[in-house]
Amino acid sequence: MVTELMKGVYWVGVVDWAIRKFHGQELSTHRGSSYNAYLITDEKTVLVDTVWGPFQDQLIENIREVVDPAKIDIVVANHAEVDHSGGLPAVMRQAPNATVVVSQRGKESVEGHFHQPWDFKAVKTGDKINIGKNDLVFVEAPMLHWPDSMFTYLTGKNILMPNDAFGQHYATAFLFNDQVNQEELYAEALKYYANILTPFSGLVLKKIEEVLSLNLAVDMIAPSHGIIWRKDPLQIVKKYQQWAAQEPENSAVILYDTMWDGTRLMAEAIGQGLAAKGVPYKAFHMAVSDRNDVITEVVKAKALIVGSPTFNQGVLPTITPILEDLKGLKFQNKIGAAFGSYGWSGEAVKIIEEHLNRCKIQPVAEGTRAKWQPKSDDLARCKELGQKVAQAINA
Ligand code: FEO
């Protein structure tokens, strides 16, 4: 349903209640998502971002409710990933003479996706385009989260359209932050940050400072997924500053996989050690856990304790994806430890420790191994490991 956000500014996006996996099969979206596109009718008609390709017809219908799509003069493509640019070909078929405004890097990525001879205008930070009463002002935001990412700000209405930044994969009946369940909203905003933006936390902090230093009045932050922040819109900016600082809580996450429960028993004993020292923890059996939900817990915790039995002289293949995430997401300020049962060669613990080191998650105690099924003294050593990690957390 098309919604007028402010006079002459319309949400013309699409709510996708059904999507449960994003980026192919890489990211879970238990609460669906939305693809927000914004139509501005000033002396010029401007569309900021489009929608994912399968929803392009709905986008065109939405635009048509407000204005003939052929009247679009400018399409801003803040970012080329196809959940936002997928509707561009349909829009450009309706308005073939429209100018496609992109960042410098966006020209390359949008052209690379669509191979079309559209009229591109590449802009950089501080560039303005007058559209009548108001201006569009652009702020390049490389690595938030692609090199081509860009924010668009509309003067006069004081709306910041930062594309993926400040978004959430969250389908809702209502458009604005003050109309939805706050716990769900922040759970999804954190999941989005943790899984997509964590590696760029340093850049997030710098970009926020840069935007704040421009002293732009911000009455609304309208990202390209999820709700629009209209009530106290800077609340999500403050949250991003907090998340980007990567100052974890005094808590732990135990990640493990297990074949015949030996490593599971070890995980539970480690948990007892943590709890005995008053450190809260969560344990996840990775073969049956949603990786993206686990990452959302990992981002909050100070310590990561990773376990696997030895399998083919390595770790269980089901533990490998989360190890890859730990590498790619570049968490900071975390400590770790490793554990696992084995029958013959027993390399898994060493492999995990080496991996944690490569991820700059320094193991704080020597890893614990148990041969065959753990005996009571093995479990006592696991409990001790939990206690040592707890002491390091509380140090
Ligand atoms: Fe980077 Fe929502 O796409």
Side-chain angles (χ1 to χ4, degrees):
M1 195 171 65
V2 172
T3 305
E4 189 168 27
L5 306 181
M6 290 185 189
K7 194 164 168 41
V9 183
Y10 302 84
W11 176 84
V12 289
V14 170
V15 177
D16 185 350
W17 289 94
I19 192 161
R20 289 295 177 270
K21 287 283 182 182
F22 212 82
H23 294 152
Q25 297 294 307
E26 188 270 327
L27 178 67
S28 62
T29 49
H30 308 310
R31 293 190 174 99
S33 192
S34 63
Y35 317 105
N36 296 333
Y38 301 101
L39 185 70
I40 304 163
T41 55
D42 202 322
E43 285 166 28
K44 290 203 160 98
T45 302
V46 179
L47 181 67
V48 179
D49 290 320
T50 70
V51 298
W52 189 27
F55 297 96
Q56 60 186 13
D57 292 345
Q58 197 176 331
L59 171 70
I60 299 293
E61 268 177 50
N62 290 350
I63 295 169
R64 207 183 294 286
E65 275 189 36
V66 183
V67 68
D68 178 354
K71 292 200 159 44
I72 292 173
D73 300 293
I74 294 170
V75 184
V76 179
N78 276 319
H79 169 43
E81 204 167 2
V82 291
D83 49 325
H84 310 296
S85 70
L88 259 177
V91 170
M92 296 305 288
R93 277 194 293 277
Q94 300 285 329
N97 297 321
T99 300
V100 180
V101 176
V102 287
S103 67
Q104 310 276 336
R105 306 294 294 274
K107 184 167 184 306
E108 176 192 336
S109 57
V110 174
E111 274 184 334
H113 276 86
F114 300 106
H115 316 291
Q116 293 294 321
W118 295 326
D119 174 29
F120 286 101
K121 180 179 172 60
V123 291
K124 54 188 187 318
T125 294
D127 284 355
K128 285 182 186 176
I129 295 179
N130 178 260
I131 57 169
K133 290 194 189 69
N134 299 311
D135 295 331
L136 301 172
V137 182
F138 304 98
V139 179
E140 291 164 286
M143 302 321 294
L144 268 73
H145 69 118
W146 268 21
D148 65 3
S149 297
M150 177 171 84
F151 298 173
T152 299
Y153 176 79
L154 176 62
T155 66
K157 309 295 180 187
N158 303 341
I159 304 181
L160 181 67
M161 290 163 279
N163 196 264
D164 279 322
F166 311 121
Q168 335 85 49
H169 289 303
Y170 186 26
T172 56
F174 304 106
L175 260 186
F176 297 104
N177 65 317
D178 49 289
Q179 297 174 304
V180 301
N181 179 297
Q182 299 301 294
E183 205 173 313
E184 287 182 359
L185 169 59
Y186 270 101
E188 292 302 334
L190 176 59
K191 181 173 178 177
Y192 194 96
Y193 187 92
N195 283 277
I196 296 171
L197 289 160
T198 303
F200 314 117
S201 290
L203 295 170
V204 169
L205 288 172
K206 279 195 195 137
K207 185 54 57 180
I208 288 174
E209 266 181 39
E210 181 192 322
V211 173
L212 293 177
S213 74
L214 298 174
N215 285 323
L216 302 170
V218 177
D219 291 337
M220 235 179 235
I221 296 179
S224 56
H225 298 290
I227 57 77
I228 294 166
W229 304 89
R230 74 173 172 189
K231 181 175 178 190
D232 181 16
L234 291 180
Q235 63 179 285
I236 188 62
V237 178
K238 288 178 199 141
K239 270 287 172 203
Y240 264 46
Q241 285 176 311
Q242 186 188 322
W243 294 335
Q246 296 211 38
E247 289 167 358
E249 302 164 356
N250 284 350
S251 65
V253 165
I254 303 171
L255 311 174
Y256 70 97
D257 199 359
T258 191
M259 291 171 74
W260 297 108
D261 281 345
T263 303
R264 175 180 69 77
L265 292 170
M266 296 176 79
E268 289 170 7
I270 291 167
Q272 287 167 13
L274 288 162
K277 294 285 180 189
V279 170
Y281 74 93
K282 289 184 178 167
F284 296 96
H285 179 182
M286 289 313 302
V288 294
S289 299
D290 181 289
R291 239 176 62 237
N292 307 113
D293 291 342
V294 170
I295 288 295
T296 313
E297 295 298 332
V298 167
V299 79
K300 293 185 256 184
K302 174 82 182 165
L304 263 181
I305 310 170
V306 182
S308 172
T310 296
F311 177 78
N312 292 340
Q313 298 185 299
V315 297
L316 273 178
T318 37
I319 204 83
T320 304
I322 194 85
L323 294 181
E324 282 302 306
D325 280 333
L326 296 183
K327 184 153 60 103
L329 292 172
K330 299 185 175 77
F331 292 109
Q332 294 164 18
N333 306 323
K334 296 207 188 293
I335 56 175
F339 65 100
S341 64
Y342 68 104
W344 305 108
S345 52
E347 293 92 338
V349 167
K350 186 159 177 283
I351 289 169
I352 293 169
E353 285 180 331
E354 286 170 356
H355 190 87
L356 293 178
N357 268 316
R358 277 197 296 276
C359 300
K360 300 197 167 50
I361 300 169
Q362 184 70 39
V364 291
E366 198 180 331
T368 299
R369 300 192 309 166
K371 195 164 170 65
W372 309 119
Q373 281 300 95
K375 300 185 291 292
S376 57
D377 62 325
D378 294 318
L379 294 177
R381 283 188 297 112
C382 288
K383 195 169 170 184
E384 249 175 64
L385 177 65
Q387 288 173 333
K388 282 184 195 164
V389 174
Q391 278 158 1
I393 289 173
N394 289 327

